[in-house]
Amino acid sequence: MVGDCCLIIIILLLPPLGVFLMRGCHIDFWINVILTICGYIPGHLHAFYVLIKEREARRTVIINQEPPMQPGGYGAIPQ
């Protein structure tokens, strides 16, 4: 996974490449290619939108994960 700082720099230089690195060659990439062809600013806006949604999805996964159980914690049977 490319770091967020690197992604921001890549998005500033070439928005479709940033979207490709985040989502692969799916519909978001093709939408960004079309928006970048139509105008450089719409491509940037869409790329940053995808970046924000990707970060929110990662944060949601991290929040919803349960911490691993420590050996000898609650529910452990002494031997």
Side-chain angles (χ1 to χ4, degrees):
M1 177 58 93
V2 179
D4 287 340
C5 292
C6 293
L7 272 175
I8 291 171
I9 293 169
I10 292 170
I11 288 171
L12 288 173
L13 297 175
L14 192 61
L17 180 60
V19 174
F20 177 77
L21 292 174
M22 287 184 284
R23 298 283 175 104
C25 195
H26 295 288
I27 190 70
D28 286 323
F29 170 73
W30 295 109
I31 290 171
N32 194 271
V33 167
I34 293 170
L35 287 172
T36 303
I37 290 171
C38 291
Y40 204 58
I41 300 298
H44 277 94
L45 293 176
H46 179 260
F48 281 113
Y49 172 78
V50 171
L51 175 66
I52 291 169
K53 289 300 179 182
E54 185 78 17
R55 289 178 71 189
E56 286 178 359
R58 277 189 277 154
R59 183 176 298 140
T60 302
V61 169
I62 291 171
I63 291 172
N64 290 336
Q65 288 179 350
E66 293 182 18
M69 289 291 294
Q70 295 292 333
Y74 293 111
I77 301 172
Q79 295 184 9

